[in-house]
Amino acid sequence: MLKVNNIDVFYGNIHALKEVSLEVNEGEIVTLIGANGAGKSTLLKTLSGLLKPKKGEVLYQTQQIGGKPAQAIVKVGISHVPEGRRVFSTMSVEENLELGAYLRTDREEIKKDIANVYGLFPILGERRKQPSGTLSGGEQQMLAMGRALMAKPKLLLLDEPSMGLAPLIVKQIFEIIKMVNEKGTTVLLVEQNANMALSIANRAYVIETGKIVLSGTAKELQESEQVKAAYLGGL
Amino acid sequence: MEWIQQLVNGISLGSIYALIALGYTMVYGIIKLINFAHGDVFMLGAFIGFYAISRWEIGFFPALIISMVLCAIIGVIIERVAYKRLRSATRIAALITAIGVSLLIEYTVIFFRGASPEAYPEVLPKSSINILGVNISSISILILAVTIVLMILLQFIVHKTKIGKAMRAVSLDADAARLMGINVDNTISATFAIGSALAGAAGVIFGVYYTRIEPLMGVLPGLKAFIAAVFGGIGSIPGAMVGGLSLGLVETVVSALGFSLWRDAAAFVILILILILKPSGIFGKNTREKV
Ligand SMILES: Nc1ncnc2c1ncn2[C@@H]1O[C@H](COP(=O)(O)OP(=O)(O)OP(=O)(O)O)[C@@H](O)[C@H]1O
Ligand SMILES: [Mg+2]
């Protein structure tokens, strides 16, 4: 479904991604784990069109999408839930969801999908008129995910959905990720919480200072000594 | 009774400031640029209205609409030609460019038609209406009505339409807006178009009310509208409305008290006080500097 071939991404002269290649197949949950500053967010931003690769290609279902503007990428069916949620703070929960459906014109279906999001995250329904900046961190994460789902993506990019959340909420969020995936949305999940991520993923990649250093099935990585030592808090 | 007349004058002047201030505040809200050429768009609006009325002999409302449409186009051209390439430049570079654009517009107009003032044709009947024993000119009432209609329309656009929601989203977080599929460039252009159209309307209203227009007429009202926007809280639409009206009223009161020479100073005193006491303005959010 998504195939990244040897991309290089720079911030000015900082070389943030070095010949990164990765693949996501339809229906999978693939996770990308790595420490702070490894380049995880950079990769997602490149996939969603906020950054342009200097070299290499990004193929989405045979289309070359590397370097295309973000709105074109949303249109082909890739939605990105950014790190730190980035909800539109002074706008209401419902307005945030409407913005998620910005490129859609099927008004009736949009209404139904907003109701679906409220079904998935009942707390958002209760807070529909509230400015989203007043939501708790967990609620904002739910809103950011709901907002991305409003675009009806085929591929969902999630950047550290567990960041700063209590374990119970994290568990809830991960349940939802699994559910969304079971309903047919492919997921590329960036996490520092490697334990959680590997527990729901099919496959995984490990990134270190801009390079993919390891990849395999989630099970393989869970058992890898290298991963255990660096990311699973093993002894 | 004299006071009621002054109040009406203050509201009329304040409406003009408010209409100009809205463009300042909307543009600042979305690209954090103080568009110093905005007062000159107001001047162009006044001249467009003038030529429309005197050459084509059309009425007030058609002239108002023509002026708004042309100013919207001019605003978009200014943004696309001068400011767009400076999105990632330093703020000071953009500010200097804005001052350059302002001078360019002023002296281009002077180059083509000279610096002499023009007397605005009388397009509206000079009648007055008696309200509570006070004669109020129908022009004042019309100005107020037009301003209110434009403000309601603006509120509707900003809060209820798709482009308005996109404008708010981009001003809150441009990258997050991109991730929604919003075309940020087009949204910024739409903001310039709407702000400039309001300035164009203010120009025609100014011409009709004060009857004298000239190529540098945008400088002082532009500066004062900017003060009004800061007073209301730059970036805030209700703030620009309240700031503009308050400034108009304050200036009129200062004049009415016999300090008419101090009228222009009043605005700057307000600016200084605001910057000392509450730099975020009355409707301002706590300033979140973006890095
Ligand atoms: N806007 C930027 N300008 C310059 N350098 C940047 C910028 N954004 C990120 N970087 C650098 O690129 C590298 C990768 O950053 P990135 O945000 O992708 O890391 P990350 O893996 O997402 O980290 P974290 O887990 O902390 O979110 C880092 O060295 C970072 O300092
Ligand atoms: Mg990151």
Side-chain angles (χ1 to χ4, degrees), chain A residues 9-17 32-45 51 83 159-160 163 190-192 207 209-210:
Chain A
V9 178
F10 291 81
Y11 293 103
N13 50 18
I14 298 171
H15 197 170
L17 292 182
L32 177 68
I33 55 186
N36 288 112
K40 307 179 297 294
S41 299
T42 304
L43 178 62
L44 290 197
K45 286 181 192 166
L51 296 172
E83 183 176 332
D159 198 344
E160 297 200 37
M163 192 168 72
V190 158
E191 264 300 341
Q192 291 206 39
I207 184 169
T209 57

Side-chain angles (χ1 to χ4, degrees), chain A residues 87-102 107 110-118 121-133 135 139 143-144 146-147 150, chain B residues 159-160 165 168 180:
Chain A
V87 296
F88 299 109
S89 59
T90 60
M91 300 175 83
S92 70
V93 167
E94 193 139 317
E95 283 176 320
N96 270 270
L97 294 177
E98 285 166 7
L99 281 167
Y102 189 77
R107 280 168 165 261
I110 291 174
K111 272 197 196 132
K112 272 189 217 156
D113 285 337
I114 289 180
N116 288 342
V117 170
Y118 293 153
F121 305 105
I123 188 76
L124 295 183
E126 287 169 35
R127 304 268 192 269
R128 69 210 308 158
K129 295 287 168 218
Q130 198 167 311
S132 60
L135 299 178
E139 290 160 1
L143 177 58
R147 186 178 68 175
M150 287 301 298
Chain B
H159 290 281
K160 299 285 178 223
K165 284 177 190 174
R168 283 190 290 152
M180 304 298 105

Side-chain angles (χ1 to χ4, degrees), chain B residues 180-212:
Chain B
M180 304 298 105
I182 293 170
N183 184 324
V184 170
D185 285 341
N186 290 351
T187 307
I188 291 172
S189 291
T191 307
F192 270 85
I194 293 171
S196 304
L198 293 173
V204 177
I205 289 173
F206 181 97
V208 169
Y209 192 67
Y210 293 102
T211 67
R212 183 180 178 280

